[in-house]
Amino acid sequence: MRLFSAVLPPEGAVRELAAEVAGLRTLPGADRLRWTGRADWHFTLAFYGEVHPELLPELCERLARAARRHPPYPLRIAGGGRFADRVVWAGAEGGRPAMGRLADSASAAARRAGVPMKEQRPYAPHLTLARNRTAGVDLRPFVAGIEGFRGQEWTVGELVLVRSHLPVDGVAGQRPRYETVAAWPLGNRDGRLRSKGGPQDS
Ligand code: ATP
Ligand code: MG
């Protein structure tokens, strides 16, 4: 299964960003970009790729431990940028050092659980807003549009393990794009396991 760990913005922060993105979507060329849905908005901490299900218990245990070691920290969605001509993203402010440390731990946890991790690039927190399908759209106006955005601050209190369902060609997705597998509170001793129809506590 395809997995990554992430920080998820709360509803209020998502609502504010959605209002900002609605403006970006009126810019010329916006309809030629592939926009992410607000239900999918996240800051990736570490990307794991395909993980053998056998490794999942160990991965979860180590992520729980990692979460426990990091205190909650403040964060806001702010500013933005682009990756070359491919991706427009919104940035993060407020707790970047803490977020970087959490990301390092989220990578190390997987490595220790036996997940083959590719070499990590320096951590750059970003929330992907749009992708350039055709490479034909100039992304600079979109970056200019998001640069001044500064959302409400919240306290990041959870490390979330997310499963990604890649879209199957020509088949409309039946399930959500991303699915929360488990979430662990930061700085706490006990984690919670989340699964549909499963127990809420463990
Ligand atoms: P799609 O691949 O369909 O365009 P996606 O990139 O959101 O959508 P995934 O490829 O499953 O879906 O990626 C899940 C998350 O992990 C995304 O935030 C993505 O940016 C990030 N991610 C994917 N591959 C890597 C990678 N090699 N290194 C770091 N982060 C990655
Ligand atoms: Mg991808």
Side-chain angles (χ1 to χ4, degrees):
M1 59 182 87
R2 191 176 174 93
L3 296 174
F4 62 100
S5 56
V7 163
L8 307 185
E11 180 54 31
V14 166
R15 208 178 311 121
E16 281 178 339
L17 182 61
E20 187 75 10
V21 167
L24 298 183
R25 293 184 76 154
T26 65
L27 294 174
D31 52 356
R32 284 188 286 143
L33 300 177
R34 184 161 55 100
W35 294 85
T36 54
R38 56 188 269 175
D40 292 337
W41 284 347
H42 64 271
F43 288 98
T44 298
L45 288 167
F47 179 72
Y48 304 136
E50 278 302 318
V51 174
H52 196 286
E54 267 178 15
L55 298 181
L56 193 56
E58 174 88 8
L59 174 61
C60 286
E61 200 167 301
R62 296 204 179 258
L63 285 173
R65 214 177 293 165
R68 242 177 270 150
R69 285 197 309 265
H70 294 267
Y73 59 90
L75 200 73
R76 60 159 46 92
I77 302 173
R82 65 192 166 104
F83 293 137
D85 60 354
R86 293 176 293 108
V87 168
V88 182
W89 46 264
E93 248 180 43
R96 289 175 66 100
M99 184 105 142
R101 289 191 292 272
L102 185 60
D104 286 346
S105 287
S107 288
R111 219 176 296 116
R112 294 194 192 108
V115 175
M117 298 285 290
K118 298 209 183 83
E119 205 180 315
Q120 302 289 301
R121 276 170 274 174
Y123 183 64
H126 65 277
L127 186 159
T128 297
L129 296 176
R131 292 188 173 83
N132 216 351
R133 262 188 290 219
T134 57
V137 182
D138 180 3
L139 297 183
R140 286 172 297 183
F142 297 91
V143 173
I146 191 76
E147 254 165 8
F149 176 72
R150 202 157 178 273
Q152 61 178 242
E153 186 179 279
W154 78 92
T155 301
V156 175
E158 261 190 355
L159 166 63
V160 183
L161 180 63
V162 186
R163 179 171 184 183
S164 170
H165 298 276
L166 288 183
V168 180
D169 274 351
V171 179
Q174 298 267 313
R175 33 186 165 189
R177 178 77 176 80
Y178 300 127
E179 185 187 342
T180 292
V181 176
W184 300 274
L186 300 185
N188 273 334
R189 292 185 49 79
D190 302 308
R192 284 174 295 128
L193 198 68
R194 283 199 206 153
S195 59
K196 275 194 206 103
Q200 290 299 303
D201 303 292
S202 71

